[in-house]
Amino acid sequence: MLREDVIAYPSPKAFCKSIINEKILDVTRKAKYLILELTNEKRLIFHLRLSGTMVLAPLPAEPEKFSRLVLKLDDVQLLFKEPRVLGRAYLIKAGEMPSNLKGFYNLGCEPISEDFDAAYLRQKIKHRKARIKSLLLDQHICAGMGNIYSDEALFRAGIRPLRKAYRITNKEIPRLIKALKEVIHEGIANFGTSVSDYRRTDGQDGNFQNFLCVYGREDAPCRKCGTKIVLKKIGNRSTRYCPKCQK
Ligand SMILES: [Zn+2]
C-alpha cells in the first residue's frame, strides 16, 4: 500500500489482512467500477473515476509513478495507478454493502447494454423537468456516461442539451439511444478519448478525440452546417452544441 486513503472499505489494515492468499477468479466492469471476483465470495472493487488505471508490471520492479496500491500476485504485480488520487478500492465480503459504495449499488443501465432501450429511457425521463444533458450524466440513469460522450450523442441525435427531458419526443428517444450506443462503441474502437490524463493501459493515447464533433470545439464551425459551436454551462458541466443542428 502506497496511499492509505485510496482504501475506502474496510480499514486499510483489515483490507490488507483479508486479501492475503485470495485468488482472482474473474474480472468484470460496470460503469467506472472494475470488479475482481475473489475466492471466499470476496469482491475487490476499484472505482477508477476519471484517471484510475490497472497495470500489470513484472516483479520485483519498483512500482511505477502514480501507483497507489500494489497487489503482489504469484509472478506479477497489479498496480492501481491514479494520478489524481480520487479513485478508491473496496474489499467486500458476501452480504456487505458499505454506505460509501452506494453509488455502485444504485447504478442504472449502461447505454451499451441491451436493457438500455426506448422503454427504459422513456420511463426514466418522461416526468423529469431537468435538462436532458443533466439526466444523461446521472449515473442512476446512464451508468458510465461522461461529459464528452453525452455531448457527442446529443449532437448526433440532433437534440439540444438544454431541452427539458420530458419534452423529448417518442420519435427522438430511439434516435438518442442509437447515438449513445454509437459514440460509446466508436470510442472503444478508437481506444478511448485522450483529452486530459486518460491513456490506454499501454500508455498510448486513444484516438477518439480526433473524431469529436462538438466536445472541445467551441467557436469552431459545425462539421455539418458550419455554424459556430456554442459553449454553455449546464448544471456546472461545460456543454457544447450546434445551435442550428440541435433543436
Ligand atoms: Zn450544425
Side-chain angles (χ1 to χ4, degrees):
M1 178 194 350
L2 303 166
R3 280 286 296 247
E4 278 199 3
D5 50 349
V6 305
I7 298 176
Y9 187 87
S11 69
K13 211 171 150 192
F15 181 101
C16 294
K17 205 170 143 199
S18 50
I19 206 163
I20 295 170
N21 289 329
E22 296 290 342
K23 285 196 179 78
I24 300 170
L25 301 177
D26 198 9
V27 182
T28 55
R29 181 201 58 78
K30 186 158 190 198
K32 297 177 185 103
Y33 295 86
L34 193 72
I35 305 138
L36 278 60
E37 303 287 350
L38 308 180
T39 29
N40 301 311
E41 290 183 67
K42 290 178 191 169
R43 290 175 120 185
L44 178 55
I45 302 179
F46 288 97
H47 189 191
L48 303 174
R49 306 209 48 180
L50 271 182
S51 54
T53 47
M54 303 296 296
V55 178
L56 278 174
L59 274 170
E62 278 292 304
E64 297 164 23
K65 201 178 169 194
F66 301 130
S67 299
R68 308 304 181 194
L69 198 66
V70 180
L71 301 175
K72 294 215 160 106
L73 310 181
D74 285 343
D75 41 16
V76 283
Q77 49 186 340
L78 185 57
L79 311 176
F80 177 44
K81 292 170 67 173
E82 217 316 22
R84 303 191 195 192
V85 208
L86 294 169
R88 291 289 179 265
Y90 304 81
L91 184 65
I92 314 295
K93 291 179 190 156
E96 282 183 332
M97 255 198 216
S99 59
N100 60 357
L101 195 51
K102 252 196 333 234
F104 174 72
Y105 297 109
N106 293 333
L107 282 173
C109 276
E110 291 196 328
I112 44 172
S113 76
E114 276 181 25
D115 300 335
F116 196 99
D117 57 14
Y120 172 82
L121 189 60
R122 194 177 302 123
Q123 174 65 27
K124 292 284 183 190
I125 69 172
K126 66 180 176 186
H127 299 307
R128 302 288 304 268
K129 288 186 181 140
R131 302 190 190 284
I132 185 64
K133 160 80 186 250
S134 302
L135 294 192
L136 291 185
L137 291 178
D138 182 339
Q139 300 298 301
H140 302 100
I141 299 174
C142 292
M145 184 51 62
N147 206 24
I148 302 175
Y149 292 76
S150 53
D151 279 6
E152 291 299 313
L154 285 166
F155 174 77
R156 285 191 196 204
I159 296 171
R160 198 173 286 205
L162 301 150
R163 287 261 297 280
K164 298 213 163 139
Y166 73 93
R167 292 226 162 105
I168 306 289
T169 65
N170 283 343
K171 236 180 164 172
E172 287 171 317
I173 284 180
R175 224 158 69 201
L176 179 56
I177 290 173
K178 186 168 171 266
L180 285 163
K181 290 180 192 285
E182 273 175 15
V183 290
I184 297 172
H185 282 298
E186 286 171 29
I188 294 169
N190 285 286
F191 306 104
T193 313
S194 296
V195 287
S196 60
D197 24 33
Y198 171 73
R199 297 294 175 271
R200 294 161 49 168
T201 41
D202 60 7
Q204 299 203 46
D205 280 359
N207 266 333
F208 197 53
Q209 64 280 8
N210 304 321
F211 301 96
L212 300 178
C213 289
V214 281
Y215 188 86
R217 297 196 66 247
E218 53 270 26
D219 295 328
C222 169
R223 296 200 202 275
K224 273 192 203 159
C225 75
T227 306
K228 262 191 189 180
I229 300 296
V230 171
L231 170 68
K232 266 217 169 101
K233 285 255 177 200
I234 297 180
N236 218 17
R237 302 300 298 272
S238 50
T239 299
R240 285 91 170 171
Y241 64 94
C242 170
K244 194 166 171 203
C245 295
Q246 293 175 260
K247 311 280 186 227

